[in-house]
Amino acid sequence: MTETDSRVEMISPLMHPAFGPRIPTKELYELPPDWFHVGSGPVYGRVDVDPDDNNLLNKGDGPPLGVRIKLHGRVIDSDGEPVPGTLIEIWQANAGGLYLDEYCDRPWLPTDPNFFGTGRTLTDENGDYVFHTIKPSGYAGPAGSGMWRAPHVHFSFFGPNLSNRLITACYFENDPLNETDFVYAQQKYEHDRDKMIARVEDVGLDGTYLQLVYRWDVVLRGPGATPMDVE
């Protein structure tokens, strides 16, 4: 056993035969100073965020498959104050459970040529955000594990610069896979798991399509902070 393996065993209860250690096992990498952008707000890769970047429904030649959802909420700090100008990025599976990613090792799942599964936006002056997307499917866990992942959307929140980052995910209320999802269940306390649940606010139409409206508010820091959740 190496020194790193011993350290992981001693300090991490988050071990699982299918997922391995869920903490860093290597030394931290110090980013070069010129990688950070200093200015009035976060700019990832120095590429402006367009108003339509939060709409994942219109990036293909036709409509994507799946139930349309409007996922919105508010980003606040530990005092309940809004955090405007926060860069939010999301990524998710399609309606068949497949990520459009070269590292997604489930080639038997159906692709959707009209859904790319990524989006981004900036919170407004009230800390509000919105994404228009489809509800992702759950999918099987690692081969041989017998586990299933619940439907979820990954979120990344950047603070005033790229060194301030919260990576988490939101799950959907009343989904039967939530309680058996290993990653979701790693949150030991029910009140922490509850902070990761998006709740149905309305059901209506987006043009001729059925649309579910989910609300998910996020607290960036403090005792009530939304837990980190990294797959």
Side-chain angles (χ1 to χ4, degrees):
M1 178 180 295
T2 67
E3 182 179 346
T4 298
D5 292 335
S6 176
R7 180 174 65 86
V8 170
E9 280 196 358
M10 287 189 297
I11 68 174
S12 174
L14 302 178
M15 299 289 291
H16 190 278
F19 283 88
R22 297 180 56 75
I23 64 168
T25 59
K26 297 181 180 180
E27 293 296 324
L28 296 179
Y29 177 74
E30 184 173 352
L31 295 171
D34 60 358
W35 194 78
F36 297 97
H37 174 81
V38 179
S40 59
V43 180
Y44 184 71
R46 296 183 173 87
V47 177
D48 291 340
V49 178
D50 293 329
D52 197 46
D53 285 352
N54 67 340
N55 190 346
L56 284 67
L57 301 173
N58 62 1
K59 299 301 184 282
D61 295 328
L65 300 174
V67 176
R68 294 188 172 208
I69 65 172
K70 174 183 175 182
L71 181 55
H72 74 118
R74 196 168 186 236
V75 179
I76 60 176
D77 62 18
S78 56
D79 297 320
E81 295 297 319
V83 187
T86 298
L87 175 63
I88 307 176
E89 297 179 329
I90 66 170
W91 61 101
Q92 64 171 90
N94 65 16
L98 184 71
Y99 289 90
L100 189 65
D101 189 301
E102 62 180 308
Y103 296 106
C104 184
D105 57 352
R106 294 180 290 275
W108 57 87
L109 294 176
T111 60
D112 184 346
N114 294 312
F115 188 73
F116 303 104
T118 59
R120 62 181 186 163
T121 192
L122 292 168
T123 56
D124 66 14
E125 64 274 11
N126 299 311
D128 293 325
Y129 74 88
V130 62
F131 286 98
H132 302 278
T133 182
I134 56 100
K135 188 173 181 180
S137 171
Y139 53 85
S145 68
M147 298 190 321
W148 278 78
R149 293 299 320 275
H152 57 281
V153 177
H154 298 277
F155 273 75
S156 169
F157 299 87
F158 283 106
N161 61 57
L162 298 186
S163 64
N164 300 328
R165 190 183 188 195
L166 168 67
I167 302 176
T168 186
C170 80
Y171 299 77
F172 300 92
E173 69 171 334
N174 299 325
D175 193 285
L177 291 176
N178 285 344
E179 298 306 321
T180 57
D181 185 300
F182 167 75
V183 180
Y184 174 75
Q186 80 172 17
Q187 304 299 333
K188 181 177 179 181
Y189 300 108
E190 183 178 354
H191 65 270
D192 282 332
R193 295 193 296 272
D194 191 61
K195 295 171 187 174
M196 303 172 73
I197 296 293
R199 305 192 183 280
V200 176
E201 193 175 64
D202 193 14
V203 179
L205 292 175
D206 177 18
T208 59
Y209 295 93
L210 174 70
Q211 176 182 256
L212 301 177
V213 179
Y214 284 92
R215 183 175 185 93
W216 188 53
D217 295 330
V218 174
V219 182
L220 291 184
R221 56 183 176 269
T226 303
M228 292 190 68
D229 183 269
V230 184
E231 181 180 359

